[in-house]
Amino acid sequence: MSEVERPIEDLRSSKGELGSFAGADMSTGLIWGIKRSFLAYLSRMPDLKSSVSGGASVAPELGLYHFPLASSDAYDYGTGQGTLKFQGDLRFSGHFGFLFVMLVDPWVTFDDGLATLSFHDVEADPELADDSARRPMLGLGYPGYVDAHGIRDWQLIPTSLRTEAVSVFNEVYPPGELFEPLHMRVTL
Ligand code: HEM
């Protein structure tokens, strides 16, 4: 287990114990709060279990998750097209196992005017043996960025749920439902 990996734990009892993004290098990476009302729903579950591993970290008091940059090899800094690969593994379970949400290795892809956040498709590949199975989860407002001090920085990218990911949330949220905005920083 790496030092940022943590065992399954209760989000509520972790408040104040882990601190904000404990152990994480925040100079680059992707920061996302999933959906505030979903985290509030989870926090009301008496049997909630959650885990944050694979490089991801959490600021429980802010309801934000950080995924470090894994690779920008497939991203073209000149054209702004391609894929930025972040890594990390979030899991939530509750309702005696009826609810299980797993969000693994977010990638952001810029493709000809469309920006998409995808996750590893754990249903297609539960053993995580092949990273080519991806599930688009969010459509992103096509974001502008700032290049400064050796960092490319995107702030407050609007996000909305893609049709392909409606089943992840038990079809409670319709396509187009607003999720929390994304922040991203990568080295230039
Ligand atoms: C035993 C099975 C389940 C029961 C009894 C149940 C019950 C409920 C109830 C009562 C609410 C509304 C109350 C509240 O906001 O606190 C709710 C909302 C919700 N449930 Fe479930 N649920 C179940 C399974 C699931 C599963 C499998 C998922 C998959 C992720 C899920 C996702 C959601 C979502 C996304 C919301 C809306 C949260 C929000 O944004 O306000 N539920 N559920």
Side-chain angles (χ1 to χ4, degrees):
M1 186 184 288
S2 79
E3 62 181 31
V4 291
E5 240 174 330
R6 301 190 185 92
I8 294 272
E9 60 191 301
D10 185 318
L11 263 186
R12 291 161 304 168
S13 67
S14 69
K15 270 184 191 162
E17 290 170 19
L18 299 170
S20 292
F21 304 118
D25 172 2
M26 302 298 292
S27 57
T28 59
L30 179 150
I31 297 177
W32 184 41
I34 311 180
K35 184 167 174 61
R36 195 165 288 271
S37 65
F38 180 63
L39 294 184
Y41 167 60
L42 293 178
S43 74
R44 291 192 289 274
M45 276 176 203
D47 68 333
L48 170 69
K49 297 271 188 283
S50 70
S51 69
V52 179
S53 65
S57 58
V58 59
E61 70 282 17
L62 302 174
L64 292 174
Y65 295 87
H66 174 260
F67 301 86
L69 182 66
S71 170
S72 58
D73 291 353
Y75 176 73
D76 184 325
Y77 284 86
T79 63
Q81 301 289 296
T83 298
L84 290 165
K85 300 180 180 178
F86 302 89
Q87 68 184 55
D89 182 323
L90 308 185
R91 300 180 192 199
F92 305 95
S93 74
H95 289 318
F96 310 101
F98 287 110
L99 179 148
F100 182 66
V101 174
M102 195 169 166
L103 301 172
V104 177
D105 294 348
W107 293 2
V108 174
T109 300
F110 302 94
D111 182 16
D112 201 21
L114 285 178
T116 306
L117 178 82
S118 65
F119 282 93
H120 184 89
D121 191 340
V122 289
E123 285 173 20
D125 179 18
E127 299 305 317
L128 307 183
D130 172 7
D131 77 359
S132 63
R134 309 291 304 174
R135 182 197 290 266
M137 178 159 289
L138 302 175
L140 311 183
Y142 208 74
Y145 55 78
V146 173
D147 286 345
H149 310 296
I151 297 283
R152 179 162 291 183
D153 189 344
W154 293 259
Q155 295 286 326
L156 287 170
I157 305 167
T159 68
S160 59
L161 189 64
R162 293 259 309 232
T163 307
E164 297 90 327
V166 161
S167 64
V168 173
F169 299 96
N170 211 26
E171 309 199 357
V172 174
Y173 305 129
E177 175 84 7
L178 295 181
F179 274 56
E180 298 308 313
L182 288 182
H183 309 270
M184 282 192 300
R185 282 191 212 126
V186 299
T187 38
L188 280 171

